[in-house]
Structure formats: structure tokens, C-alpha cells
């Protein structure tokens, strides 16, 4: 999708995200729950089992972070940590960039199937438009695979077809274009044996032998670019994973994962995750075996659930009224913390895709006039006023963003911000730029 995002005009980078942790509630108010269970209030339920879909919401991504692990994860210090429990990676060459990704021997899926580098190939299939098109697949008007990863930074770096090692534990990828930010876009595993079995109409978890044979069929289809088989995988991916309901009738092949938890159920009222007994692809758990999300769209109902103890964690709206309401619940512990968040404007500059009707609106094109008009429009947006009147009363230390690539607390933030020219052009104290 061709859009110019007003990323330099992000409103808030240090928004206050409010959380209520319930502790020491009077016994008559709430029934006792196991200490290994946590209940979390959220506004909406999941929209799909496909985390790569345009339908996926932040909650979908949150669920994915709990049910899937790959080469990196974020710790509580805003640092990206290499996940040695899953695997490792190393740069073999820099011009052009060539990176080798190795899955740790012994890492396994929730159904007990060993994970190897073949499971990483799916990530390339749904992220590289060059590969997809070379295999006869559509990535534009009617994409074979419902994936927003096409045309992301990984795709723009023009990765060549990955090369599997002889033992199939490693995958080597060469990028034709410079790609300094490659680590966040490392290939992520997907249970391709489950995808193949689902495509073949299988219902229920299968034996290790059958799972490995199914994965080999995926590998063969990928390597040979078998368009018929790849398209059949796409139809399965776009249809069966396109559901927001999980219950006892759901095919468990759809739920195979390698994260600390497995999705057990989901509907418009609740989402339930249970501990993955085969989990060994990431950091150890801290004793929480069950996570229950309660869907509570109304803010007043959310506060009531927090007061009654129906939820252990409740997000508050970033408004002074909401903050004061939560603080008034005296028998509970109120906790607030900084979270990276922003509001943004998106300016359309071109057709939605290559086959769509031409766009001739006021911001169309990339001429000097069009760029100046977009800059003038974005610079006129009152970021400072909104920060002062809406955010600072809640979070007095909140700041406007200086970089989109790095958060303020991340290593390298100041260097990236200064080199980008953002501070000199868009520093929030320079009101003359709006003249």
C-alpha cells in the first residue's frame, strides 16, 4: 500500500499506559482463584488466527507474543535480546549482507514435533514479493497469502531465496540491498507441517512420523516453486486461519505453537491461554500457568470489573478522568508505567495498489510542491498543544517523539534522532516552523 505516514509528526512517544493490579481484595467481593491464573481486561477480542493478516489487531500480536517465540524478544528494559533458547544467528558477509539463522537442536512445537529451518521458509514465502511472484503467486490485488509483510523492510532489502543447510537446522539469507535493521525482521517459525496437514483435510494432532513427512512436502513445494501446491497452502491459510472463534470443535492443528502458552479458547467474551507443556523455545515462566482475557468494551464496566476483582489487570484510558477513577479504588493497588505509544496521521500519495484507480488528490505524487504541501500540513498539526493539554496532566514527564526507529530509552536513540535531521527540522519547541 503506497502511503506516506506522518511518522515525524507522531503525537506522543511517552504516553502513560494505566494498569490496575488488584491485591488484597476483601474475600466476600471475589471468589478465590488459583495463584497461577491471571485475568486481564481488554476492550476487543481477537479478529483472526493469522497474525500476518491486515485484520490482525494489537491484541492479536500480544497473543502471538505469548504463543510464539523466535530469534529475539524484548525484555523489560526495552532491549532486544537474542533468544538462544530458540536459536542463533551470525553475519557471514556484509557486502552483500549474508546472515545465517540456526534453530537450536531440541526446540519443539507444542505437539512435540522438532522445529528446524524448514519452518522458517514460510516467513520468506509470505514476506518476499520477489519470491512469491517468481513462484507464480499473487501479492497485489488478490494475494495468494493474506500477509501484510509484503513490501516491508525485509522485502525492500530484496532477500534472495534462502539456502538450507544439509542438516536443515540452518537457513542462510543474502540481501541484495543494504539492510542495517535486519535483526527485527529475522525469519520467524511457522508450523508448516500443520499447514500441510490442514490443506490435506486432516483433523487432529498426528504422529511425529506423519508430521515430519508433511513438513518435507512443504519443503519440496517451496524449493520447486510448485505453484499448485503453494496456492493450495494459501487457500488454507486464508480460510481456516481466518477465524476469531476457538472452542472444543476447533482443529488443534490450527493452534500448534512454540511459545510458553497455547490458545485454548476464544470468543466475544473471553480468551484463554494455557501453559505449553512442550515449551522450550524461550525464557522460563514465572509460575503463571493460565491467562484469561475478559472482553469488556465499556470503560465503566472495566472499572467495575477491577473494583469487584473480576480482573487482575485492567487497562485505563489515557484521560485524567480515567486516572482519577482508578485511583479512587482505595482497596486496590494502582500502578502506572511508561509505554511507547503514539497517534499519527497518514497522507495518501498514490493508488492503494498497482491495479487500483489512479489517485490525484492534493497530496499525490513526489514533486517538490507535493512534498512541501505535505510538510506544511504536518507541521501545522498542534503537537505541542495536545501534549500540554491532554497528556502532561497525566504524565508530566511525557515527551514528543524524536525518532520513529528507536524509543527514547532504547540504545542508539539519540544518535539515530540526531543523524536523521528530525530534531533540527521538527523540534517541538520551535514554533516558528508553523509560521
Amino acid at each position: 500500500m503506497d502511503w506516506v505516514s506522518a511518522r515525524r509528526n507522531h503525537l506522543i512517544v511517552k504516553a502513560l499506559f494505566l494498569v490496575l493490579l488488584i491485591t488484597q481484595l476483601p474475600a466476600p467481593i471475589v471468589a478465590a482463584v488459583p495463584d497461577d491464573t491471571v485475568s486481564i481486561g481488554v476492550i476487543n477480542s481477537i479478529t483472526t488466527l493469522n497474525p500476518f493478516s491486515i485484520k490482525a489487531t494489537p491484541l492479536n500480536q500480544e497473543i502471538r507474543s505469548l504463543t510464539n517465540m523466535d530469534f529475539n524478544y524484548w525484555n523489560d528494559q526495552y532491549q532486544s535480546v537474542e533468544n538462544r533458547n530458540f536459536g542463533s544467528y551470525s553475519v557471514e558477509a556484509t557486502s552483500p549482507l549474508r546472515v545465517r539463522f540456526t534453530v537450536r537442536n531440541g526446540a519443539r512445537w507444542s505437539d512435540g514435533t522438532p522445529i528446524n529451518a524448514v519452518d522458517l521458509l514460510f516467513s520468506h514465502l509470505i514476506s518476499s514479493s520477489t519470491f512469491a511472484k517468481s513462484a507464480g503467486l499473487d501479492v497485489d490485488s488478490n494475494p495468494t497469502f493474506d500477509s501484510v509483510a509484503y513490501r516491508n523492510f525485509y522485502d525492500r532489502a530484496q532477500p534472495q531465496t534462502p539456502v538450507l543447510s544439509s542438516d536443515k537446522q540452518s537457513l542462510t539469507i543474502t540481501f541484495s540491498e543494504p539492510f542495517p535493521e535486519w535483526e527485527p525482521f529475522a525469519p520467524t517459525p511457522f508450523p508448516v507441517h500443520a499447514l500441510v496437514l490442514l490443506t490435506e483435510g486432516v483433523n487432529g494432532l498426528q504422529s511425529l512420523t506423519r508430521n515430519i513427512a508433511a513438513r518435507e512436502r512443504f519443503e519440496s513445494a517451496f524449493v520447486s516453486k510448485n505453484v499448485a501446491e503453494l496456492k493450495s497452502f494459501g487457500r488454507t491459510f486464508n480460510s481456516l486461519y481466518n477465524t476469531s472463534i476457538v472452542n472444543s470443535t476447533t482443529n488443534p492443528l490450527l493452534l500448534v505453537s512454540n511459545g510458553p502458552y497455547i490458545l485454548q479458547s476464544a470468543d466475544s467474551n473471553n480468551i484463554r491461554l494455557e501453559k505449553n507443556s512442550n515449551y522450550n523455545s524461550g525464557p522460563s515462566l514465572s509460575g503463571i500457568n493460565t491467562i484469561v482475557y475478559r472482553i469488556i468494551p465499556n470503560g465503566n464496566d472495566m472499572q467495575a470489573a477491577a473494583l469487584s476483582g473480576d480482573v487482575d489487570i485492567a487497562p485505563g484510558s489515557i484521560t485524567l478522568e480515567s486516572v482519577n477513577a482508578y485511583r479512587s479504588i482505595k482497596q486496590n493497588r494502582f500502578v502506572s508505567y511508561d509505554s511507547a505509544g503514539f497517534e499519527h496521521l497518514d497522507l495518501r500519495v498514490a493508488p492503494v495498489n498497482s491495479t487500483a484507480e489512479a489517485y490525484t488528490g492534493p497530496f499525490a505524487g513526489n514533486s517538490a510542491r507535493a512534498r512541501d504541501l505535505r510538510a506544511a500540513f504536518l507541521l501545522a498539526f498542534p503537537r505541542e498543544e495536545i501534549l500540554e493539554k491532554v497528556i502532561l496532566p497525566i504524565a508530566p514527564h511525557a515527551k514528543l517523539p524524536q525518532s520513529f526507529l528507536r524509543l527514547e530509552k532504547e540504545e542508539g536513540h539519540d544518535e539515530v534522532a540526531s543523524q536523521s535531521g528530525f530534531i533540527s527540522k521538527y523540534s517541538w519547541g520551535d514554533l516558528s516552523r508553523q509560521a
Side-chain angles (χ1 to χ4, degrees):
M1 185 177 293
D2 293 324
W3 299 80
V4 167
S5 174
R7 287 170 177 165
R8 290 177 178 170
N9 229 29
H10 289 321
L11 178 60
I12 306 159
V13 112
K14 298 277 293 180
L16 185 68
F17 187 74
L18 304 172
V19 188
L20 186 70
L21 300 182
I22 309 304
T23 61
Q24 298 179 345
L25 286 171
I29 295 182
V30 57
V33 296
D35 291 338
D36 63 356
T37 299
V38 171
S39 177
I40 304 173
V42 291
I43 297 174
N44 298 304
S45 187
I46 58 174
T47 55
T48 176
L49 297 182
N50 172 10
F52 310 102
S53 172
I54 194 171
K55 298 179 181 178
T57 65
L59 180 59
N60 283 90
Q61 302 304 331
E62 181 174 329
I63 298 297
R64 177 170 172 76
S65 72
L66 293 167
T67 57
N68 290 271
M69 297 297 295
D70 51 31
F71 289 100
N72 295 283
Y73 64 89
W74 293 91
N75 66 14
D76 58 359
Q77 300 299 315
Y78 302 99
Q79 297 169 328
S80 178
V81 179
E82 184 176 355
N83 182 12
R84 290 279 180 167
N85 290 295
F86 176 74
S88 60
Y89 48 79
S90 60
V91 175
E92 295 190 333
T94 57
S95 185
L97 177 64
R98 185 172 73 248
V99 185
R100 182 182 178 91
F101 300 92
T102 301
V103 177
R104 179 181 66 83
N105 274 306
R108 59 182 180 262
W109 293 106
S110 56
D111 63 358
T113 305
I115 305 173
N116 69 12
V118 175
D119 294 307
L120 303 178
L121 294 176
F122 185 79
S123 179
H124 184 79
L125 176 62
I126 64 167
S127 301
S128 171
S129 58
T130 299
F131 178 87
K133 290 177 180 179
S134 71
L137 309 180
D138 192 354
V139 300
D140 294 314
S141 58
N142 186 29
T144 305
F145 288 89
D146 179 13
S147 170
V148 296
Y150 294 124
R151 298 187 183 88
N152 69 6
F153 291 108
Y154 176 92
D155 193 20
R156 294 174 192 173
Q158 297 184 23
Q160 299 175 19
T161 300
V163 178
L164 282 166
S165 62
S166 58
D167 64 357
K168 299 182 183 177
Q169 287 301 122
S170 296
L171 197 68
T172 301
I173 304 177
T174 300
F175 298 93
S176 300
E177 296 294 328
F179 194 18
E181 295 284 338
W182 60 268
E183 285 188 71
F185 296 91
T188 186
F190 188 84
V192 295
H193 67 280
L195 177 64
V196 172
L197 293 171
L198 286 164
T199 302
E200 295 171 350
V202 176
N203 188 13
L205 302 180
Q206 302 299 303
S207 67
L208 178 59
T209 300
R210 192 171 185 184
N211 290 344
I212 292 176
R215 181 165 60 199
E216 290 173 349
R217 291 195 291 280
F218 177 88
E219 178 189 353
S220 175
F222 180 94
V223 172
S224 65
K225 297 182 179 179
N226 187 315
V227 63
E229 289 196 45
L230 292 176
K231 284 187 174 181
S232 68
F233 298 154
R235 287 191 293 271
T236 298
F237 187 66
N238 294 352
S239 59
L240 297 188
Y241 285 87
N242 185 27
T243 181
S244 59
I245 303 298
V246 175
N247 53 37
S248 60
T249 67
T250 300
N251 192 332
L253 288 170
L254 288 168
L255 309 176
V256 174
S257 59
N258 75 322
Y261 299 95
I262 302 174
L263 181 60
Q264 290 290 328
S265 63
D267 55 31
S268 59
N269 297 312
N270 296 282
I271 303 168
R272 187 178 185 89
L273 305 178
E274 294 286 353
K275 180 180 178 181
N276 174 8
S277 60
N278 277 321
Y279 170 63
N280 67 349
S281 292
S284 59
L285 296 179
S286 59
I288 297 174
N289 294 330
T290 302
I291 301 176
V292 178
Y293 288 87
R294 285 200 56 208
I295 317 303
I296 309 175
N298 183 275
N300 292 330
D301 292 341
M302 185 77 76
Q303 292 178 20
L307 176 60
S308 67
D310 287 341
V311 295
D312 300 307
I313 302 174
S317 302
I318 308 176
T319 66
L320 188 58
E321 180 182 6
S322 177
V323 171
N324 290 336
Y326 276 115
R327 283 176 174 157
S328 69
I329 306 176
K330 300 300 183 182
Q331 71 268 38
N332 303 325
R333 184 161 62 96
F334 179 87
V335 177
S336 65
Y337 64 90
D338 292 329
S339 177
F342 58 85
E343 298 292 340
H344 61 93
L345 298 175
D346 294 315
L347 305 185
R348 187 176 180 183
V349 300
V352 175
N353 56 54
S354 60
T355 62
E357 183 179 349
Y359 172 70
T360 58
F363 300 120
N366 200 36
S367 65
R369 180 183 180 281
R371 293 196 303 270
D372 288 344
L373 180 61
R374 292 195 294 264
F377 180 86
L378 297 177
L379 289 172
F381 197 76
R383 299 198 315 159
E384 298 86 358
E385 182 180 0
I386 295 173
L387 175 71
E388 178 183 354
K389 294 181 178 180
V390 179
I391 304 303
L392 291 181
I394 304 169
H397 58 288
K399 297 181 180 180
L400 291 170
Q402 306 290 4
S403 169
F404 180 76
L405 295 176
R406 301 276 185 182
L407 304 180
E408 184 187 4
K409 289 188 177 181
E410 283 188 85
E411 182 180 354
H413 167 272
D414 293 345
E415 181 181 3
V416 170
S418 62
Q419 292 183 1
S420 71
F422 180 93
I423 295 177
S424 61
K425 290 183 179 180
Y426 302 97
S427 62
W428 69 282
D430 184 9
L431 297 180
S432 64
R433 62 182 171 79
Q434 297 183 11

